[in-house]
């Protein structure tokens, strides 16, 4: 008797759930979504000890091209809204260092350049905005490589810093807002 009672209750609950108030699904909500995640990643890291700065035959200590096709990828370039690139240059050497970062397109054409000087024993930070609040976002979308140059501004190849492990370090990171759709 108990099993008939349980089965009857079970069937009634199943029937009730079929006829319960269920809101019709709206699959058009995707069109109304406005999602803009922020992507952040490291871009460059270049380091040179003071001995390399002193050994450089000319004042140019570092001159190197870095392939950076991440910006020209369709996934990125078609969805990027705006962003910021942050540069941090640490100079624990005894010389003033000049840094130059060139943004190049796929054909090697210059799109933009950032230049800054860092005094001995100093840390320098610069944030460059791209998009509506700064430089043209097209610079970022079309960048295929970066050329980094570090120059000993004083030309001094003899003096040595009294700081432990003297070197120059240039690092950068990018933080960009993206459209999901």
């Amino acid at each position: 008797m108990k099993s008939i009672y349980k089965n009857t209750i079970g069937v009634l609950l199943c029937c009730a759930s079929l006829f319960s108030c269920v809101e019709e699904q709206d699959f058009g909500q995707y069109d109304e979504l406005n999602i803009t995640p922020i992507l952040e990643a490291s871009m460059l890291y270049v380091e040179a000890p003071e001995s390399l700065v002193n050994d450089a035959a000319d004042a140019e200590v570092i001159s190197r091209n870095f392939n950076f096709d991440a910006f020209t990828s369709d996934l990125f370039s078609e969805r990027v809204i705006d962003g910021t690139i942050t540069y941090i240059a640490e100079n624990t050497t005894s010389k003033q260092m000049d840094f130059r970062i060139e943004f190049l397109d796929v054909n090697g054409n210059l799109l933009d350049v950032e230049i800054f000087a860092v005094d001995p024993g100093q840390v320098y930070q610069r944030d460059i905005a791209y998009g509506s609040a700064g430089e043209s976002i097209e610079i970022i979308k079309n960048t295929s490589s970066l050329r980094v140059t570090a120059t000993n501004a004083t030309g001094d190849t003899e003096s040595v810093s009294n700081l432990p492990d003297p070197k120059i370090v240039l690092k950068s990171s990018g933080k960009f807002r993206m459209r999901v759709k």
Side-chain angles (χ1 to χ4, degrees):
M1 187 72 156
K2 286 185 181 182
S3 81
I4 293 175
Y5 181 68
K6 286 183 183 179
N7 287 340
T8 304
I9 297 265
V11 170
L12 287 175
L13 286 175
C14 286
C15 288
S17 68
L18 290 174
F19 297 107
S20 66
C21 296
V22 175
E23 189 175 320
E24 190 171 319
Q25 297 297 312
D26 179 12
F27 294 104
Q29 292 173 337
Y30 174 78
D31 296 332
E32 299 169 12
L33 284 178
N34 187 13
I35 301 172
T36 53
I38 295 174
L39 303 177
E40 187 169 3
S42 177
M43 292 174 50
L44 285 175
Y45 184 88
V46 179
E47 181 177 310
E50 188 172 43
S51 60
L52 182 64
V53 175
N54 282 335
D55 291 344
D58 55 7
E60 198 170 89
V61 178
I62 298 170
S63 182
R64 185 170 297 151
N65 283 15
F66 295 91
N67 185 17
F68 203 80
D69 288 328
F71 286 161
T72 57
S73 157
D74 288 345
L75 182 63
F76 181 86
S77 66
E78 292 177 2
R79 298 176 188 277
V80 65
I81 300 169
D82 57 22
T84 303
I85 295 179
T86 300
Y87 301 97
I88 299 175
E90 301 173 24
N91 181 7
T92 55
T93 71
S94 61
K95 297 121 181 75
Q96 177 182 324
M97 298 299 296
D98 294 338
F99 293 93
R100 179 181 178 96
I101 297 104
E102 298 174 350
F103 292 74
L104 307 170
D105 68 11
V106 71
N107 297 317
N109 298 315
L110 183 65
L111 300 172
D112 193 22
V113 63
E114 294 299 327
I115 301 171
F116 46 92
V118 184
D119 291 329
Q122 298 294 310
V123 175
Y124 176 84
Q125 180 173 332
R126 178 185 282 181
D127 297 320
I128 307 296
Y130 293 88
S132 60
E135 303 287 332
S136 170
I137 195 67
E138 294 303 314
I139 294 168
I140 297 301
K141 289 180 177 184
N142 293 303
T143 296
S144 178
S145 64
L146 301 168
R147 180 180 302 136
V148 177
T149 307
T151 306
N152 178 351
T154 60
D156 176 15
T157 61
E158 306 272 331
S159 67
V160 178
S161 174
N162 58 1
L163 296 172
D165 191 27
K167 60 186 168 190
I168 58 171
V169 176
L170 174 65
K171 49 190 169 184
S172 68
S173 63
K175 190 178 205 178
F176 297 95
R177 280 189 326 136
M178 308 285 291
R179 275 188 298 278
V180 171
K181 57 176 193 142

